[in-house]
């Protein structure tokens, strides 16, 4: 039985006003740069194959034909936004709800707000510059810092993630005594990702927002491989005060390579006995048609709001988190 107050919001009226002001500031920022705001579907026939991202699905029954099919709640509007980019060759952004099956805690609600944008003609370094401008406008961060993925591991763990052996990485991993869930994939990249999350992330970006870039090519996802060093991808993530805020790429344009990566992800899913995910064929077709040279990034807006106003739990900035939805 529910308690009498379960219907009430967890966010204060002031927090709701602060959210509205934040949305206004975001829209003003992109309007000044002539970036078009768009709206894409939450439901899709395809979804991400990433081993480390789990989404939600639902069943849709066509009333006129009796046909049933699975549709997926989007973990990001990325595939749909890139279809727009391939069609119209213009910079776009979206401010919308996305869904990830990652539990409920201080920094995460399974339904959350994401700002995602793509800038035609920019690379990932240009985009980091623009994100720095946005952070200054939104949270008053007048300075950011940058460090490569390799430098972060060398500084904090005396480990080289690009050249050290899996055995050496396993030794450091075991020395750190990281508490594991039974379902987490523990391979070469799995150990690196856990080491980064538990041992490096809490130590970076404490004074200024910190960009980590040049991730290993094996963690490239939808990013281009770096032209000067094929060991790394043109990918970055942004951290501030122990919180991951954004993930961005100089976007891969090669449809065949993207399909290969998706199929590799599903191979890993089979290895770890996870459910395979259907490839988004419409997205792949848009890459074949021609994605413009661009850089893109996804940013968690609930976390930005928390940082801006000093909130300590995500439920303080959500009207109705999952435990009250």
């Amino acid at each position: 039985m529910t308690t009498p107050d379960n219907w009430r919001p967890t966010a204060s009226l002031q927090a709701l006003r602060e959210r509205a002001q934040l949305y206004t500031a975001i829209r003003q920022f992109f309007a000044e740069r002539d970036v078009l705001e768009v709206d894409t579907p939450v439901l899709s026939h395809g979804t991400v194959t990433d081993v480390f991202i789990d989404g939600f699905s639902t069943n849709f029954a066509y009333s006129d034909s009796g046909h049933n099919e699975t549709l997926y709640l989007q973990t990001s509007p990325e595939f749909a936004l890139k279809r727009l980019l391939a069609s119209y060759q213009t910079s776009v952004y979206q401010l919308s709800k996305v869904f990830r099956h990652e539990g409920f805690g201080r920094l995460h609600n399974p339904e959350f707000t994401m700002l995602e944008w793509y800038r035609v003609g920019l690379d990932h370094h240009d985009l980091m510059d623009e994100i720095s401008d946005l952070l200054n406008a939104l949270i008053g961060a007048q300075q950011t810092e940058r460090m490569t993925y390799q430098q972060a591991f060398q500084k904090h763990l005396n480990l080289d993630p690009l050249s050290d052996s899996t055995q050496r990485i396993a030794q450091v991993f075991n020395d750190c005594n990281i508490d594991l869930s039974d379902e987490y994939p523990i391979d070469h990249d799995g150990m690196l990702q856990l080491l980064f999350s538990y041992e490096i992330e809490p130590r970076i970006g404490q004074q200024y927002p910190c960009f980590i870039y040049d991730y290993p090519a094996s963690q490239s996802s939808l990013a281009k491989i770096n032209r000067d060093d094929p060991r790394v991808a043109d990918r970055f993530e942004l951290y501030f005060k122990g919180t991951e805020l954004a993930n961005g790429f100089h976007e891969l344009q090669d449809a065949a390579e993207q399909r290969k990566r998706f199929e590799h992800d599903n191979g890993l899913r089979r290895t770890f006995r996870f459910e395979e995910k259907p490839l988004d064929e419409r997205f792949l077709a848009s890459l074949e048609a021609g994605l413009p040279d661009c850089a893109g990034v996804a940013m968690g807006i609930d976390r930005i709001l928390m940082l801006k106003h000093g909130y300590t739990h995500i439920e303080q900035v959500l009207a109705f988190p999952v435990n009250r939805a």
Side-chain angles (χ1 to χ4, degrees):
M1 180 179 294
T2 59
T3 58
D5 285 341
N6 264 1
W7 63 271
R8 297 184 185 277
T10 56
S12 67
L13 180 58
Q14 179 62 28
L16 299 183
R17 287 178 173 144
E18 290 163 351
R19 178 179 288 273
Q21 292 165 359
L22 185 66
Y23 287 3
T24 298
I26 290 169
R27 290 187 165 103
Q28 181 179 346
F29 180 89
F30 287 112
E32 291 172 353
R33 287 157 179 78
D34 195 29
V35 180
L36 178 67
E37 181 175 10
V38 296
D39 184 44
T40 63
V42 168
L43 289 172
S44 175
H45 291 86
T47 187
V48 293
T49 56
D50 193 312
V51 180
F52 300 97
I53 298 178
D54 194 15
F56 293 92
S57 63
T58 187
N59 186 65
F60 176 54
Y62 289 88
S63 58
D64 55 346
S65 66
H67 174 66
N68 292 334
E69 64 183 7
T70 301
L71 295 176
Y72 295 87
L73 290 168
Q74 289 308 287
T75 60
S76 158
E78 177 168 4
F79 295 170
L81 290 176
K82 286 181 176 176
R83 288 166 63 187
L84 291 177
L85 280 165
S87 296
Y88 302 120
Q89 310 283 305
T90 191
S91 298
V92 294
Y93 80 96
Q94 180 166 321
L95 187 58
S96 62
K97 295 288 188 180
V98 295
F99 304 84
R100 298 190 183 186
H101 201 298
E102 298 174 357
F104 175 63
R106 187 179 74 85
L107 293 173
H108 182 72
N109 190 62
E111 175 185 355
F112 61 99
T113 301
M114 179 178 286
L115 169 65
E116 187 154 338
W117 77 97
Y118 293 85
R119 297 290 265 125
V120 174
L122 301 189
D123 66 14
H124 56 305
H125 290 287
D126 298 325
L127 190 56
M128 283 188 270
D129 291 339
E130 183 165 80
I131 294 168
S132 297
D133 292 339
L134 178 63
L135 291 176
N136 190 17
L138 297 184
I139 63 174
Q142 298 181 358
Q143 182 176 339
T144 59
E145 56 188 5
R146 301 183 191 186
M147 182 186 305
T148 68
Y149 188 89
Q150 182 184 41
Q151 289 168 343
F153 272 86
Q154 290 172 329
K155 177 179 180 179
H156 295 292
L157 290 174
N158 194 29
L159 181 68
D160 189 332
L162 302 182
S163 61
D164 282 347
S165 66
T166 300
Q167 183 178 7
R168 165 67 177 148
I169 293 170
Q171 179 185 0
V172 174
F173 182 83
N174 291 332
D175 290 343
C176 290
N177 295 315
I178 296 172
D179 185 24
L180 301 177
S181 70
D182 292 337
E183 295 185 351
Y184 202 95
I186 305 303
D187 57 1
H188 184 99
D189 279 316
M191 287 188 290
L192 287 178
Q193 293 201 37
L194 284 167
L195 283 169
F196 190 93
S197 295
Y198 284 90
E199 301 296 326
I200 297 177
E201 187 175 322
R203 305 180 191 181
I204 58 176
Q206 292 302 317
Q207 185 173 3
Y208 306 109
C210 178
F211 292 100
I212 301 294
Y213 66 99
D214 283 356
Y215 276 71
S218 55
Q219 300 177 31
S220 56
S221 185
L222 291 93
K224 291 183 177 182
I225 300 301
N226 189 274
R227 288 184 300 180
D228 299 322
D229 185 352
R231 298 178 304 168
V232 301
D234 292 345
R235 174 188 171 192
F236 65 85
E237 291 194 357
L238 173 65
Y239 296 87
F240 190 33
K241 296 183 178 178
T243 302
E244 179 191 346
L245 296 179
N247 185 20
F249 310 130
H250 190 190
E251 303 295 340
L252 181 67
Q253 297 167 278
D254 186 329
E257 172 62 22
Q258 188 63 73
R259 181 180 294 276
K260 187 185 303 182
R261 293 185 190 179
F262 286 163
E263 291 171 347
H264 177 71
D265 286 347
N266 269 334
L268 289 176
R269 284 185 163 274
R270 288 191 297 271
T271 298
F272 295 116
R273 299 182 181 180
F274 294 170
E275 179 187 0
E276 290 186 52
K277 300 298 183 181
L279 308 191
D280 192 321
E281 294 293 346
R282 293 185 176 94
F283 165 60
L284 290 169
S286 74
L287 293 186
E288 291 176 359
L291 186 73
D293 184 41
C294 63
V297 62
M299 177 178 288
I301 292 304
D302 305 311
R303 294 178 180 183
I304 291 287
L305 189 59
M306 290 173 65
L307 285 168
K308 180 177 177 63
H309 296 287
Y311 294 111
T312 58
H313 198 290
I314 197 169
E315 66 182 8
Q316 295 172 282
V317 299
L318 299 176
F320 301 108
V322 67
N323 57 353
R324 296 211 181 186

